[in-house]
Amino acid sequence: MKTLTKTGKKAASTVTLKEQAYQAIREQILKNHLPSGTPLTEEQLSAALNISRTPIRAALQKLTYEKLTIQDATGHIFVSTITRKDVENLTVLRARIEPLAIELASFPIDAEKIELLKKDCSVQSALVKEHPEDDYRYAILDTQFHTDIAALCDNSILADTFNYLAPTVIRVHILTGTLNPYKETAIEEHLELIHYLERGKKDFAMLALKEHVMQVGNRIMTSL
């Protein structure tokens, strides 16, 4: 196991120890520093993070709920494995629910929401220019763009569904190494989507988003 950074009980006093533990372990899984199949024990994580076992246990329960870890019949916890079928299922689901957010959105889209999406793309572009090697940060920003798309509609269940999928989306990108060759292409696809949203072309926006998600899925599948 790659060494985890100790958080210390005095760090981020407004953040609970459970949340500190959860964020630290989650980040290491998403970055693939804790690869698929890595066993995770409360004792080991407690020592690595300098946090007692009770918050560690709660953090692992949350990670298991998010499918980032799994618990076997004996109670042992491991980092979950992502299969080709998982990627197929993820792509199919995203291609359904993300365009649905646009279908359910009220048009014209508020100017503030359009500006937020543009800002997402601007931050992504700046990162690609300044730190092209930072796949993890890019994946976070990319997922934020799609989270903001999901929030266009007034449907909290749909938005929560995407938020639930988001960690797996980030992890798949990092595991497959498919971001680097396509970062600028993905941003261009995002900007095309914003173009349609800004002009009130709902059907074109829905189609552009679906095609974008499918293209991302195809890029990932070809790498497996």
Side-chain angles (χ1 to χ4, degrees), residues 105-156:
S106 297
F107 278 73
I109 303 296
D110 292 343
E112 289 185 2
K113 293 180 178 180
I114 294 292
E115 289 306 311
L116 177 60
L117 294 172
K118 289 181 178 179
K119 181 179 178 181
D120 289 340
C121 291
S122 177
V123 174
Q124 279 185 285
S125 296
L127 179 69
V128 171
K129 292 177 181 178
E130 297 170 12
H131 302 285
E133 77 291 344
D134 194 343
D135 286 353
Y136 176 68
R137 179 60 181 160
Y138 178 89
I140 295 290
L141 294 174
D142 183 78
T143 304
Q144 183 59 55
F145 175 85
H146 287 271
T147 298
D148 290 336
I149 289 291
L152 289 177
C153 69
D154 186 21
N155 189 313
S156 60

Side-chain angles (χ1 to χ4, degrees), residues 94-106:
R94 289 188 64 194
R96 293 289 193 276
I97 67 170
E98 293 191 46
L100 180 60
I102 295 176
E103 182 180 355
L104 297 177
S106 297

